[in-house]
Amino acid sequence: MNNKPIGVFDSGLGGLTAVKEIINVLPNEDIIYFGDTARVPYGSRSSETIIKYAKQDISFLKSFDIKIILAACGTVSSVALPEIPCDKVRVVGVVEPAAIAAVKATKNKKIAVLGTKGTIDSKAYETEIKKLMPDAKITSIACPMFVHLVENGYSEHEATYLIAKEYLKQVIDNGADTVILGCTHYPMLKKVISKVLGENVSLIDVGKAAANYLKEILDTENKLSELKKPSYEFYVSDAKGGFEDLAKLFLKRDLGALKSVDIDKIKED
Ligand code: DGL
């Protein structure tokens, strides 16, 4: 048993989709969340910048006494984590759990990956899937407009449907039966994506896959918490105001108190 909190971070508030899943499968865990709202988006930035930011985010979470960290951000998991050395506090990303879930789900070995430009350019999901299923046929598509559509409340709008139809043409042409929603925001687009691809295509929610993976790790390492009333703390790097509505959209519940942190002052780990 280990009652220390789980640390979760993201480029912004999208990672709350993963927190929602962690609360579902690990209801006795304390969680400390950091969203880098002052520097979001990461998805279109250079690898150097994403790595630098991720190191600071991790360093901030390590200032608490935590037992494990989840990088809920698809971009950080793909671009930065492979470049960050392991140390005492394990940092888990969403790529490996999502690849495992996709390989389990596919029947025709045709898998598609959707993500930010940084995620798709890194080929991280492809590499991980190929390790598990070398003969998998993978279609990778950057969907840069999805994040903005979600953040502006267009998750189920007709305009989003039209854009999704455009982005997903290749997925349909290549016959993928499984699609990794490789970004924090894309679970919000499940309805629209399913409408375009049809109900028979399995959609892999990376936050959900990562939450199950965390549970497995903590269970195996005998580190599950037994807290009856766990607490959740949320930190952002921009001024606190105006984030409640966006946070509610991702977390599907009230956030409670948000605290601010000046992430530029945090030294890289
Ligand atoms: N959190 C990012 C991801 O999952 C999306 C937003 C961004 O570009 O920072 O890739």
Side-chain angles (χ1 to χ4, degrees):
M1 187 193 80
N2 180 332
N3 284 343
K4 288 180 185 178
I6 297 173
V8 181
F9 76 98
D10 178 42
S11 56
L13 293 173
L16 293 172
T17 52
V19 171
K20 179 172 83 68
E21 301 297 341
I22 297 172
I23 293 173
N24 270 344
V25 296
L26 291 164
N28 305 316
E29 301 288 334
D30 278 353
I31 299 172
I32 299 178
Y33 180 87
F34 171 66
D36 196 0
T37 49
R39 306 189 296 195
V40 68
Y42 284 12
S44 47
R45 295 188 191 274
S46 69
S47 311
E48 293 74 21
T49 301
I50 298 166
I51 293 165
K52 179 181 156 197
Y53 288 177
K55 284 182 175 173
Q56 284 178 307
D57 302 345
I58 290 169
S59 196
F60 170 66
L61 283 176
K62 280 196 196 155
S63 64
F64 301 89
D65 191 17
I66 48 174
K67 59 184 171 192
I68 195 162
I69 294 174
L70 172 68
C73 180
T75 308
V76 166
S77 303
S78 304
V79 178
L81 288 197
E83 309 301 326
I84 296 176
C86 309
D87 80 356
K88 282 191 303 256
V89 181
R90 183 164 172 190
V91 183
V92 173
V94 294
V95 173
E96 195 187 346
I100 295 171
V103 163
K104 253 192 211 158
T106 184
K107 295 200 170 65
N108 68 4
K109 299 190 176 182
K110 291 179 181 171
I111 298 171
V113 181
L114 312 181
T116 63
K117 186 177 177 315
T119 296
I120 297 306
D121 287 351
S122 76
K123 297 195 174 3
Y125 282 101
E126 274 177 65
T127 309
E128 209 54 49
I129 294 166
K130 288 275 184 192
K131 276 192 212 159
L132 303 166
M133 188 179 264
D135 55 344
K137 294 232 165 6
I138 304 162
T139 309
S140 297
I141 300 167
C143 309
M145 279 192 276
F146 277 172
V147 165
H148 306 288
L149 289 164
V150 171
E151 295 208 349
N152 287 288
Y154 280 65
S155 294
E156 293 176 20
H157 195 276
E158 184 62 19
T160 308
Y161 174 71
L162 293 176
I163 290 167
K165 253 171 86 173
E166 199 56 38
Y167 279 150
L168 300 174
K169 260 186 195 151
Q170 222 186 319
V171 177
I172 297 171
D173 289 349
N174 294 357
D177 69 352
T178 302
V179 176
I180 296 181
L181 307 177
C183 168
T184 45
H185 290 55
Y186 300 178
M188 311 288 292
L189 300 172
K190 269 183 195 163
K191 260 196 198 157
V192 162
I193 294 175
S194 263
K195 197 170 156 197
V196 175
L197 297 178
E199 298 290 332
N200 293 333
V201 173
S202 308
L203 303 182
I204 306 296
D205 176 332
V206 297
K208 199 176 204 166
N212 289 322
Y213 190 70
L214 273 183
K215 186 178 179 186
E216 239 176 78
I217 294 174
L218 295 178
D219 195 13
T220 311
E221 296 181 359
N222 224 356
K223 286 184 180 162
L224 288 166
S225 285
E226 288 177 344
L227 298 165
K228 295 261 171 339
K229 274 196 175 165
S231 71
Y232 308 122
E233 277 179 51
F234 300 93
Y235 293 84
V236 287
S237 51
D238 202 355
K240 293 179 289 182
F243 284 122
E244 284 78 8
D245 288 348
L246 192 56
K248 226 193 230 173
L249 197 73
F250 293 120
L251 194 62
K252 305 264 190 274
R253 59 194 264 174
D254 279 331
L255 201 60
L258 263 182
K259 292 170 206 163
S260 255
V261 52
D262 186 349
I263 197 69
D264 287 324
K265 292 217 174 99
I266 306 284
K267 287 215 172 64
E268 287 174 38
D269 206 33

